[in-house]
């Protein structure tokens, strides 16, 4: 499963996801425009998001986007925006600034950089019953808390944990490290940040944490990515989605529906 697009804006804009080929970057914008793909827009790192469309990408150095519904009327020129979308199931996006308002929409500065998440970063998979799932959560100025991995992607983990006895978990809390194992690995040590905290049910003593890795060791992240890819293939086989068949299934077949559900 893919991570929610709202979570992606916190770690998409790093050098490793930057599209270095200018032709490819332009092609991504062209696809968003030609396919009328809905985009999600944020103002200067605010929580509120808006849906919009690219209306014109041919007038470099400017872009034109549709005026989102309920968009604030008083927005200063130069306000920074973040825009994310999906192209062929892959999350991509850019940062830009508002140049002016037109009768047709909002004019943005043509982005200097386009970012695209690698396909393998999108998958979120649960461990098998035989796979290790224990996670140790080390916090600044607080006791270590033990939890269990619900699912994992190359970018982070969803953890089920008891509520701490000292200080409650908080969104954006920096974790000094997570310690966990995946299949056939030694313990991995990952610096991380909590992106969301959800109570299991009202009054429950447990929570679900959405945790994002922060500058993890490259070798350890590669191990996680390989494990996630392996588990994704195992799940596809379990669902009866053949990986060796070259026949293209019908758009309305059960196989295609299951594959779309798992990939998105």
């Amino acid at each position: 499963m893919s991570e929610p697009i709202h979570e992606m804006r916190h770690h998409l804009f790093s050098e490793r996801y930057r599209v270095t080929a200018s032709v490819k970057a332009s092609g991504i914008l062209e696809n968003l425009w030609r396919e009328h793909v809905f985009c999600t827009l944020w103002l200067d790192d605010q929580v509120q998001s808006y849906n919009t469309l690219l209306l014109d990408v041919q007038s470099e150095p400017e872009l034109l986007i549709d005026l989102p519904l309920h968009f604030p009327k008083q927005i200063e020129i130069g306000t920074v925006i973040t825009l994310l979308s999906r192209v062929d199931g892959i999350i991509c996006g850019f940062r830009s600034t508002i140049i002016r308002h037109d009768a047709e929409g909002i004019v943005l500065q043509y982005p200097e950089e386009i970012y695209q998440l690698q396909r393998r970063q999108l998958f979120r998979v649960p461990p098998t019953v035989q796979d290790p799932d224990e996670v140790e959560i080390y916090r600044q100025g607080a006791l270590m808390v033990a939890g269990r991995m619900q699912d994992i992607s190359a970018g982070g983990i969803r953890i089920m944990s008891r509520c701490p006895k000292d200080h409650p978990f908080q969104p954006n809390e920096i974790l000094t490290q997570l310690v966990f194992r995946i299949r056939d690995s030694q313990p991995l040590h990952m610096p991380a940040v909590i992106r969301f905290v959800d109570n299991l049910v009202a009054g429950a003593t447990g929570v679900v944490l959405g945790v994002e890795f922060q500058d993890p060791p490259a070798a350890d992240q590669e191990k996680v990515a390989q494990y996630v890819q392996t588990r994704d293939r195992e799940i596809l086989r379990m669902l009866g989605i053949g990986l060796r068949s070259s026949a293209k299934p019908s758009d309305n077949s059960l196989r295609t529906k299951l594959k779309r559900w798992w990939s998105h």
Side-chain angles (χ1 to χ4, degrees):
M1 301 287 286
S2 64
E3 295 188 27
I5 197 168
H6 281 61
E7 295 179 30
M8 290 297 102
R9 68 183 178 125
H10 295 296
H11 66 267
L12 176 63
F13 300 103
S14 65
E15 181 62 25
R16 56 182 169 169
Y17 302 134
R18 183 172 64 88
V19 177
T20 55
S22 59
V23 173
K24 182 178 179 181
S26 299
I28 292 172
L29 293 179
E30 288 280 341
N31 285 340
L32 289 175
W33 169 54
R34 292 185 183 278
E35 300 298 325
H36 305 291
V37 179
F38 276 104
C39 305
T40 304
L41 179 148
W42 291 265
L43 289 169
D44 201 14
D45 205 30
Q46 294 181 14
V47 175
Q48 176 67 44
S49 64
Y50 306 90
N51 290 328
T52 187
L53 292 168
L54 284 183
L55 300 180
D56 185 7
V57 299
Q58 299 188 60
S59 56
E60 188 174 347
E62 298 177 353
L63 292 178
L64 179 65
I65 64 171
D66 189 30
L67 179 66
L69 188 65
H70 305 307
F71 196 72
K73 295 181 179 180
Q74 302 298 326
I75 296 296
E76 294 184 4
I77 303 303
T79 297
V80 177
I81 67 100
T82 298
L83 186 143
L84 297 184
S85 191
R86 294 179 185 268
V87 175
D88 297 327
I90 306 300
I91 292 178
C92 59
F94 60 83
R95 289 192 175 116
S96 183
T97 56
I98 294 177
I99 297 177
R100 64 181 182 276
H101 295 260
D102 271 2
E104 298 180 353
I106 300 173
V107 179
L108 304 177
Q109 181 177 346
Y110 198 93
E112 295 182 359
E113 308 288 353
I114 304 293
Y115 296 82
Q116 187 177 58
L117 203 66
Q118 298 174 25
R119 182 175 293 274
R120 66 180 181 175
Q121 296 280 337
L122 298 174
F123 300 116
R124 184 196 294 275
V125 297
T128 67
V129 175
Q130 293 79 23
D131 287 339
D133 64 355
E134 298 88 356
V135 182
E136 296 178 355
I137 306 168
Y138 290 89
R139 313 169 65 201
Q140 296 177 343
L143 297 173
M144 185 276 289
V145 181
R148 292 194 175 275
M149 181 192 308
Q150 283 195 309
D151 51 47
I152 185 170
S153 73
I157 303 181
R158 198 190 314 260
I159 303 170
M160 183 181 296
S161 167
R162 288 188 175 276
C163 295
K165 295 181 179 179
D166 45 7
H167 303 292
F169 291 117
Q170 299 292 337
N172 300 317
E173 176 184 348
I174 302 297
L175 304 176
T176 55
Q177 64 177 342
L178 299 176
V179 180
F180 62 95
R181 291 176 56 241
I182 53 178
R183 185 186 303 172
D184 301 326
S185 83
Q186 297 297 318
L188 304 179
H189 300 257
M190 299 280 204
V193 59
I194 297 175
R195 288 306 181 194
F196 67 82
V197 181
D198 286 341
N199 293 325
L200 294 176
V201 294
T205 60
V207 294
V208 174
L209 306 175
V211 179
E212 176 191 334
F213 302 140
Q214 295 288 290
D215 298 320
D220 287 350
Q221 188 175 40
E222 182 63 24
K223 291 176 184 177
V224 173
Q226 290 176 357
Y227 169 73
V228 170
Q229 190 173 50
T230 297
R231 282 289 296 127
D232 178 67
R233 290 176 176 173
E234 291 172 353
I235 292 166
L236 292 180
R237 291 192 185 98
M238 180 184 68
L239 293 174
I241 302 173
L243 298 178
R244 289 176 293 181
S245 173
S246 60
K248 186 176 180 179
S250 166
D251 286 345
N252 293 321
S253 68
L254 176 60
R255 175 180 298 181
T256 301
K257 290 178 180 178
L258 286 171
K259 192 168 185 179
R260 285 175 179 168
W261 172 82
W262 187 256
S263 297
H264 299 285

